[in-house]
Amino acid sequence: MKKLEILISGASIAGPASALLLARQGHRVTVVERAPRLRPGGQTVDLRGAGRTVIDRMGLTPATDARLLDQRGIATVDARGRRRSELPVEAFGGNGIVSTHEILRGDLAEVLVGAVPESVEYLWDDSVRAIEQHTGSVTVSFERAPDRSFDLVVGADGLRSAVRRAAFGPDDRHLRPIGLRYAWFTATIDQPLDGWYLMHNSRGGRVVSARPSRVDGTVKASLAVRGSDPEPLHDRESQWRMLEEAFDGVGWVAPRLLEQMRSATDWAYADLAQVRMERFASGRVALVGDAGYCPTPLTGLGTTLALVGAYVLAGELGRSGGEVAPALTEYQAVMRPFIARTQQLPPGGASGYAPSSRAAVALSRFSYWSMDKWPMRSLLAGQFAKADGIDLPDYGA
Ligand SMILES: Cc1cc2nc3c(=O)[nH]c(=O)nc-3n(C[C@H](O)[C@H](O)[C@H](O)COP(=O)(O)OP(=O)(O)OC[C@H]3O[C@@H](n4cnc5c(N)ncnc54)[C@H](O)[C@@H]3O)c2cc1C
């Protein structure tokens, strides 16, 4: 096995998972992350199907199991917080919209980073600025660190990947906005969740939600609104102002969340989009996770896809004995059909999640009630079964 010098950009899910698997093969791995430290925050993410198999093959099941959240189900509430419909977690055998294997995104990132071998070097508070590919290497320029050469660069830096921009061209070539803007942060509300994911739909495609957290007294909140930003809202002030305007007059805990969002220490915001690429690896640069094939949180499969991507990339590199070109060709071939399946949005897409008219909001409440009944049940069971839609190669130890 050739020992390679590998750069990974991004330290959330796809990045640390890749770092862990590649460092275990003996490669010299450097991780660059734009944030000054591991980013906290996010609501729960699902460990489903093949994603759970990857966690198991990494030997991390005990660590993730210890942090699973006690989930009771999902319920819609009206503007006064009264429950209107419920879908208990057992409805799809523990594998539905809310599953029995949900973990906070921040907890999963911590588990992965905690398992990364100590030999891995981190460059915090930095970012890839430019990439120049040569026949046998890649030269990377950083915002702060001096230029360096690598044998392989892995872009695991999310929806607005700097590696993708530097190696594959501008965002608008690859991003397909789905028309939903989404913010996540930790907050407090005056209604106990008791393990329930509570969601309030308001006219105009506005959704307020609160999900369980592991810290008593806090919830993992989100605010989502239909539409796309005409220009990317890079600074928080513009994101907050957009949400204050959009959620003006919305009931339930919306006013309280608007008050708290500006002081949240784990703020995250995205104008949701899918990443669609003909090729997500080229020369000595490969994209993993949201950077290369984001399916959006509406599918509930982004984390599974990121874990599977990291596993297949590392597995194929191991199989090729460290030969980058054949490994990247196989990586794309193995991943492509799985990506195509997981990128199919659930019925209704953004308008199903965030209905606009009064009638559509009422219909959406009814749909939660009807989800575990025919014919919705079989439609949705198909969506959740996609997490198993790959025959995961066994790359051995
Ligand atoms: C703070 C946060 C909260 C989230 N909350 C949720 C949630 O509640 N529900 C949900 O479904 N999904 C959430 N997501 C997205 C979810 O983690 C991903 O869709 C999925 O797990 C795939 O992960 P990923 O590692 O490919 O991408 P991401 O999780 O998006 O991670 C990308 C990482 O790259 C870093 N990065 C970005 N740009 C650069 C750069 N130029 N240089 C270096 N590093 C860079 C980011 O800071 C981040 O750490 C969240 C993501 C983040 C970062």
Side-chain angles (χ1 to χ4, degrees), residues 184-215:
W184 299 277
F185 56 104
T186 301
T188 58
I189 61 171
D190 51 10
Q191 184 171 356
L193 295 182
D194 296 326
W196 284 85
Y197 167 8
L198 299 186
M199 177 191 238
H200 170 58
N201 286 98
S202 176
R203 271 183 296 157
R206 299 168 294 179
V207 186
V208 185
S209 83
R211 303 187 72 164
S213 145
R214 282 202 308 121
V215 177

mmCIF file of all heavy atoms in Angstrom, residues 184-215:
data_model
loop_
_atom_site.group_PDB
_atom_site.id
_atom_site.type_symbol
_atom_site.label_atom_id
_atom_site.label_comp_id
_atom_site.label_asym_id
_atom_site.label_seq_id
_atom_site.Cartn_x
_atom_site.Cartn_y
_atom_site.Cartn_z
ATOM 1 N N TRP A 184 -30.833 26.398 12.162
ATOM 2 C CA TRP A 184 -30.825 25.506 13.325
ATOM 3 C C TRP A 184 -30.097 26.191 14.473
ATOM 4 O O TRP A 184 -29.039 26.785 14.258
ATOM 5 C CB TRP A 184 -30.037 24.228 13.034
ATOM 6 C CG TRP A 184 -30.523 23.359 11.934
ATOM 7 C CD1 TRP A 184 -31.518 22.423 12.017
ATOM 8 C CD2 TRP A 184 -30.017 23.263 10.590
ATOM 9 N NE1 TRP A 184 -31.658 21.778 10.809
ATOM 10 C CE2 TRP A 184 -30.753 22.274 9.912
ATOM 11 C CE3 TRP A 184 -29.014 23.925 9.888
ATOM 12 C CZ2 TRP A 184 -30.519 21.917 8.592
ATOM 13 C CZ3 TRP A 184 -28.780 23.585 8.560
ATOM 14 C CH2 TRP A 184 -29.524 22.597 7.932
ATOM 15 N N PHE A 185 -30.586 26.042 15.692
ATOM 16 C CA PHE A 185 -29.866 26.542 16.870
ATOM 17 C C PHE A 185 -30.495 25.984 18.139
ATOM 18 O O PHE A 185 -31.612 25.469 18.118
ATOM 19 C CB PHE A 185 -29.849 28.077 16.902
ATOM 20 C CG PHE A 185 -31.220 28.727 16.850
ATOM 21 C CD1 PHE A 185 -31.793 29.268 18.009
ATOM 22 C CD2 PHE A 185 -31.943 28.804 15.673
ATOM 23 C CE1 PHE A 185 -33.040 29.876 17.965
ATOM 24 C CE2 PHE A 185 -33.207 29.390 15.625
ATOM 25 C CZ PHE A 185 -33.758 29.926 16.770
ATOM 26 N N THR A 186 -29.750 26.090 19.253
ATOM 27 C CA THR A 186 -30.245 25.605 20.544
ATOM 28 C C THR A 186 -30.989 26.743 21.224
ATOM 29 O O THR A 186 -30.571 27.893 21.165
ATOM 30 C CB THR A 186 -29.066 25.126 21.415
ATOM 31 O OG1 THR A 186 -28.391 24.090 20.702
ATOM 32 C CG2 THR A 186 -29.540 24.559 22.740
ATOM 33 N N ALA A 187 -32.117 26.413 21.879
ATOM 34 C CA ALA A 187 -32.936 27.456 22.515
ATOM 35 C C ALA A 187 -33.663 26.863 23.715
ATOM 36 O O ALA A 187 -33.534 25.668 24.023
ATOM 37 C CB ALA A 187 -33.939 27.991 21.484
ATOM 38 N N THR A 188 -34.420 27.715 24.396
ATOM 39 C CA THR A 188 -35.310 27.210 25.450
ATOM 40 C C THR A 188 -36.731 27.628 25.086
ATOM 41 O O THR A 188 -36.943 28.704 24.516
ATOM 42 C CB THR A 188 -34.957 27.806 26.837
ATOM 43 O OG1 THR A 188 -35.050 29.230 26.740
ATOM 44 C CG2 THR A 188 -33.566 27.421 27.282
ATOM 45 N N ILE A 189 -37.689 26.757 25.394
ATOM 46 C CA ILE A 189 -39.100 27.109 25.188
ATOM 47 C C ILE A 189 -39.854 26.726 26.459
ATOM 48 O O ILE A 189 -39.312 26.006 27.304
ATOM 49 C CB ILE A 189 -39.727 26.413 23.950
ATOM 50 C CG1 ILE A 189 -39.696 24.886 24.087
ATOM 51 C CG2 ILE A 189 -39.015 26.830 22.673
ATOM 52 C CD1 ILE A 189 -40.492 24.154 23.012
ATOM 53 N N ASP A 190 -41.097 27.227 26.588
ATOM 54 C CA ASP A 190 -41.790 26.961 27.853
ATOM 55 C C ASP A 190 -42.773 25.792 27.730
ATOM 56 O O ASP A 190 -43.776 25.750 28.424
ATOM 57 C CB ASP A 190 -42.504 28.223 28.349
ATOM 58 C CG ASP A 190 -43.367 28.824 27.252
ATOM 59 O OD1 ASP A 190 -43.544 28.159 26.199
ATOM 60 O OD2 ASP A 190 -43.837 29.953 27.421
ATOM 61 N N GLN A 191 -42.480 24.851 26.828
ATOM 62 C CA GLN A 191 -43.360 23.687 26.662
ATOM 63 C C GLN A 191 -42.483 22.440 26.691
ATOM 64 O O GLN A 191 -41.570 22.316 25.872
ATOM 65 C CB GLN A 191 -44.068 23.797 25.299
ATOM 66 C CG GLN A 191 -45.075 22.728 25.040
ATOM 67 C CD GLN A 191 -45.888 23.035 23.759
ATOM 68 O OE1 GLN A 191 -45.736 24.080 23.126
ATOM 69 N NE2 GLN A 191 -46.745 22.120 23.383
ATOM 70 N N PRO A 192 -42.726 21.513 27.621
ATOM 71 C CA PRO A 192 -41.868 20.320 27.653
ATOM 72 C C PRO A 192 -42.076 19.471 26.397
ATOM 73 O O PRO A 192 -43.201 19.349 25.909
ATOM 74 C CB PRO A 192 -42.341 19.571 28.908
ATOM 75 C CG PRO A 192 -43.664 20.142 29.260
ATOM 76 C CD PRO A 192 -43.789 21.490 28.625
ATOM 77 N N LEU A 193 -40.999 18.884 25.875
ATOM 78 C CA LEU A 193 -41.131 18.060 24.666
ATOM 79 C C LEU A 193 -41.389 16.585 25.001
ATOM 80 O O LEU A 193 -41.966 15.861 24.194
ATOM 81 C CB LEU A 193 -39.856 18.145 23.820
ATOM 82 C CG LEU A 193 -39.510 19.509 23.222
ATOM 83 C CD1 LEU A 193 -38.246 19.396 22.371
ATOM 84 C CD2 LEU A 193 -40.655 20.038 22.370
ATOM 85 N N ASP A 194 -40.900 16.149 26.157
ATOM 86 C CA ASP A 194 -41.040 14.737 26.549
ATOM 87 C C ASP A 194 -40.650 13.792 25.426
ATOM 88 O O ASP A 194 -41.341 12.797 25.160
ATOM 89 C CB ASP A 194 -42.486 14.434 26.983
ATOM 90 C CG ASP A 194 -42.878 15.214 28.226
ATOM 91 O OD1 ASP A 194 -41.999 15.421 29.069
ATOM 92 O OD2 ASP A 194 -44.051 15.632 28.320
ATOM 93 N N GLY A 195 -39.613 14.117 24.717
ATOM 94 C CA GLY A 195 -39.115 13.224 23.653
ATOM 95 C C GLY A 195 -39.809 13.420 22.313
ATOM 96 O O GLY A 195 -39.480 12.736 21.342
ATOM 97 N N TRP A 196 -40.754 14.359 22.223
ATOM 98 C CA TRP A 196 -41.469 14.572 20.951
ATOM 99 C C TRP A 196 -40.798 15.659 20.124
ATOM 100 O O TRP A 196 -40.244 16.619 20.650
ATOM 101 C CB TRP A 196 -42.928 14.973 21.213
ATOM 102 C CG TRP A 196 -43.750 13.790 21.617
ATOM 103 C CD1 TRP A 196 -43.869 13.288 22.882
ATOM 104 C CD2 TRP A 196 -44.528 12.946 20.756
ATOM 105 N NE1 TRP A 196 -44.676 12.171 22.864
ATOM 106 C CE2 TRP A 196 -45.098 11.942 21.573
ATOM 107 C CE3 TRP A 196 -44.798 12.927 19.385
ATOM 108 C CZ2 TRP A 196 -45.922 10.937 21.062
ATOM 109 C CZ3 TRP A 196 -45.617 11.935 18.881
ATOM 110 C CH2 TRP A 196 -46.161 10.954 19.709
ATOM 111 N N TYR A 197 -40.881 15.466 18.815
ATOM 112 C CA TYR A 197 -40.455 16.473 17.836
ATOM 113 C C TYR A 197 -41.728 17.258 17.513
ATOM 114 O O TYR A 197 -42.651 16.718 16.923
ATOM 115 C CB TYR A 197 -39.883 15.722 16.636
ATOM 116 C CG TYR A 197 -39.641 16.474 15.342
ATOM 117 C CD1 TYR A 197 -39.758 17.854 15.211
ATOM 118 C CD2 TYR A 197 -39.243 15.756 14.209
ATOM 119 C CE1 TYR A 197 -39.503 18.494 14.005
ATOM 120 C CE2 TYR A 197 -38.991 16.379 12.995
ATOM 121 C CZ TYR A 197 -39.124 17.746 12.901
ATOM 122 O OH TYR A 197 -38.886 18.361 11.702
ATOM 123 N N LEU A 198 -41.781 18.504 17.957
ATOM 124 C CA LEU A 198 -42.982 19.314 17.733
ATOM 125 C C LEU A 198 -42.757 20.268 16.568
ATOM 126 O O LEU A 198 -41.682 20.878 16.440
ATOM 127 C CB LEU A 198 -43.333 20.120 18.992
ATOM 128 C CG LEU A 198 -43.656 19.321 20.256
ATOM 129 C CD1 LEU A 198 -44.120 20.255 21.370
ATOM 130 C CD2 LEU A 198 -44.709 18.250 19.993
ATOM 131 N N MET A 199 -43.787 20.386 15.754
ATOM 132 C CA MET A 199 -43.645 21.187 14.535
ATOM 133 C C MET A 199 -44.908 22.019 14.319
ATOM 134 O O MET A 199 -46.019 21.504 14.464
ATOM 135 C CB MET A 199 -43.463 20.201 13.391
ATOM 136 C CG MET A 199 -43.373 20.803 12.046
ATOM 137 S SD MET A 199 -43.489 19.440 10.881
ATOM 138 C CE MET A 199 -41.995 19.678 10.043
ATOM 139 N N HIS A 200 -44.705 23.302 13.996
ATOM 140 C CA HIS A 200 -45.852 24.172 13.709
ATOM 141 C C HIS A 200 -45.719 24.708 12.287
ATOM 142 O O HIS A 200 -44.715 25.368 11.954
ATOM 143 C CB HIS A 200 -45.893 25.330 14.709
ATOM 144 C CG HIS A 200 -46.889 26.383 14.349
ATOM 145 N ND1 HIS A 200 -48.240 26.111 14.191
ATOM 146 C CD2 HIS A 200 -46.733 27.710 14.087
ATOM 147 C CE1 HIS A 200 -48.869 27.239 13.854
ATOM 148 N NE2 HIS A 200 -47.986 28.212 13.779
ATOM 149 N N ASN A 201 -46.728 24.422 11.454
ATOM 150 C CA ASN A 201 -46.756 24.958 10.091
ATOM 151 C C ASN A 201 -47.634 26.190 10.070
ATOM 152 O O ASN A 201 -48.765 26.153 10.557
ATOM 153 C CB ASN A 201 -47.365 23.932 9.116
ATOM 154 C CG ASN A 201 -46.414 22.804 8.827
ATOM 155 O OD1 ASN A 201 -46.518 21.739 9.420
ATOM 156 N ND2 ASN A 201 -45.469 23.029 7.955
ATOM 157 N N SER A 202 -47.116 27.259 9.482
ATOM 158 C CA SER A 202 -47.906 28.482 9.385
ATOM 159 C C SER A 202 -48.029 28.855 7.916
ATOM 160 O O SER A 202 -47.129 28.547 7.116
ATOM 161 C CB SER A 202 -47.164 29.578 10.163
ATOM 162 O OG SER A 202 -47.830 30.793 10.032
ATOM 163 N N ARG A 203 -49.123 29.533 7.581
ATOM 164 C CA ARG A 203 -49.324 29.922 6.164
ATOM 165 C C ARG A 203 -48.109 30.681 5.637
ATOM 166 O O ARG A 203 -47.388 31.309 6.404
ATOM 167 C CB ARG A 203 -50.565 30.805 6.040
ATOM 168 C CG ARG A 203 -51.821 29.987 5.820
ATOM 169 C CD ARG A 203 -53.004 30.893 5.643
ATOM 170 N NE ARG A 203 -53.264 31.656 6.851
ATOM 171 C CZ ARG A 203 -53.914 32.815 6.888
ATOM 172 N NH1 ARG A 203 -54.365 33.349 5.783
ATOM 173 N NH2 ARG A 203 -54.119 33.447 8.019
ATOM 174 N N GLY A 204 -47.904 30.640 4.334
ATOM 175 C CA GLY A 204 -46.742 31.319 3.748
ATOM 176 C C GLY A 204 -45.505 30.431 3.759
ATOM 177 O O GLY A 204 -44.395 30.904 3.567
ATOM 178 N N GLY A 205 -45.708 29.134 4.002
ATOM 179 C CA GLY A 205 -44.571 28.209 3.941
ATOM 180 C C GLY A 205 -43.568 28.419 5.057
ATOM 181 O O GLY A 205 -42.362 28.372 4.850
ATOM 182 N N ARG A 206 -44.084 28.692 6.291
ATOM 183 C CA ARG A 206 -43.190 28.937 7.423
ATOM 184 C C ARG A 206 -43.328 27.795 8.434
ATOM 185 O O ARG A 206 -44.449 27.409 8.772
ATOM 186 C CB ARG A 206 -43.531 30.275 8.068
ATOM 187 C CG ARG A 206 -43.343 31.423 7.082
ATOM 188 C CD ARG A 206 -43.916 32.711 7.556
ATOM 189 N NE ARG A 206 -45.361 32.702 7.684
ATOM 190 C CZ ARG A 206 -46.067 33.730 8.108
ATOM 191 N NH1 ARG A 206 -45.457 34.840 8.448
ATOM 192 N NH2 ARG A 206 -47.383 33.667 8.189
ATOM 193 N N VAL A 207 -42.193 27.247 8.874
ATOM 194 C CA VAL A 207 -42.222 26.090 9.776
ATOM 195 C C VAL A 207 -41.340 26.366 10.994
ATOM 196 O O VAL A 207 -40.174 26.765 10.840
ATOM 197 C CB VAL A 207 -41.697 24.808 9.070
ATOM 198 C CG1 VAL A 207 -41.873 23.590 9.976
ATOM 199 C CG2 VAL A 207 -42.412 24.584 7.742
ATOM 200 N N VAL A 208 -41.911 26.150 12.168
ATOM 201 C CA VAL A 208 -41.154 26.298 13.418
ATOM 202 C C VAL A 208 -41.081 24.916 14.032
ATOM 203 O O VAL A 208 -42.102 24.221 14.094
ATOM 204 C CB VAL A 208 -41.915 27.211 14.410
ATOM 205 C CG1 VAL A 208 -41.079 27.465 15.660
ATOM 206 C CG2 VAL A 208 -42.313 28.512 13.744
ATOM 207 N N SER A 209 -39.908 24.491 14.472
ATOM 208 C CA SER A 209 -39.865 23.169 15.100
ATOM 209 C C SER A 209 -38.955 23.166 16.318
ATOM 210 O O SER A 209 -38.045 23.998 16.447
ATOM 211 C CB SER A 209 -39.424 22.099 14.095
ATOM 212 O OG SER A 209 -38.023 22.064 14.000
ATOM 213 N N ALA A 210 -39.233 22.238 17.218
ATOM 214 C CA ALA A 210 -38.395 22.041 18.404
ATOM 215 C C ALA A 210 -38.225 20.544 18.581
ATOM 216 O O ALA A 210 -39.207 19.796 18.580
ATOM 217 C CB ALA A 210 -39.056 22.652 19.628
ATOM 218 N N ARG A 211 -36.981 20.126 18.700
ATOM 219 C CA ARG A 211 -36.694 18.698 18.852
ATOM 220 C C ARG A 211 -35.896 18.484 20.135
ATOM 221 O O ARG A 211 -35.231 19.407 20.626
ATOM 222 C CB ARG A 211 -35.890 18.192 17.652
ATOM 223 C CG ARG A 211 -36.587 18.440 16.336
ATOM 224 C CD ARG A 211 -35.863 17.799 15.181
ATOM 225 N NE ARG A 211 -36.024 16.352 15.204
ATOM 226 C CZ ARG A 211 -35.772 15.560 14.162
ATOM 227 N NH1 ARG A 211 -35.337 16.075 13.037
ATOM 228 N NH2 ARG A 211 -35.943 14.267 14.239
ATOM 229 N N PRO A 212 -35.940 17.255 20.666
ATOM 230 C CA PRO A 212 -35.247 17.008 21.929
ATOM 231 C C PRO A 212 -33.742 17.266 21.839
ATOM 232 O O PRO A 212 -33.138 17.128 20.786
ATOM 233 C CB PRO A 212 -35.504 15.517 22.176
ATOM 234 C CG PRO A 212 -36.703 15.181 21.362
ATOM 235 C CD PRO A 212 -36.660 16.079 20.175
ATOM 236 N N SER A 213 -33.187 17.643 22.992
ATOM 237 C CA SER A 213 -31.749 17.863 23.103
ATOM 238 C C SER A 213 -31.262 16.936 24.222
ATOM 239 O O SER A 213 -32.064 16.323 24.908
ATOM 240 C CB SER A 213 -31.538 19.327 23.462
ATOM 241 O OG SER A 213 -30.444 19.499 24.306
ATOM 242 N N ARG A 214 -29.939 16.864 24.430
ATOM 243 C CA ARG A 214 -29.479 16.027 25.548
ATOM 244 C C ARG A 214 -29.242 16.870 26.798
ATOM 245 O O ARG A 214 -28.948 16.339 27.854
ATOM 246 C CB ARG A 214 -28.198 15.296 25.155
ATOM 247 C CG ARG A 214 -28.499 14.102 24.251
ATOM 248 C CD ARG A 214 -27.404 13.056 24.261
ATOM 249 N NE ARG A 214 -26.093 13.592 24.003
ATOM 250 C CZ ARG A 214 -25.070 13.482 24.837
ATOM 251 N NH1 ARG A 214 -25.216 12.870 25.994
ATOM 252 N NH2 ARG A 214 -23.891 13.980 24.525
ATOM 253 N N VAL A 215 -29.365 18.197 26.652
ATOM 254 C CA VAL A 215 -29.163 19.064 27.814
ATOM 255 C C VAL A 215 -30.523 19.508 28.330
ATOM 256 O O VAL A 215 -31.314 20.107 27.585
ATOM 257 C CB VAL A 215 -28.304 20.298 27.432
ATOM 258 C CG1 VAL A 215 -28.140 21.235 28.615
ATOM 259 C CG2 VAL A 215 -26.961 19.853 26.889
#
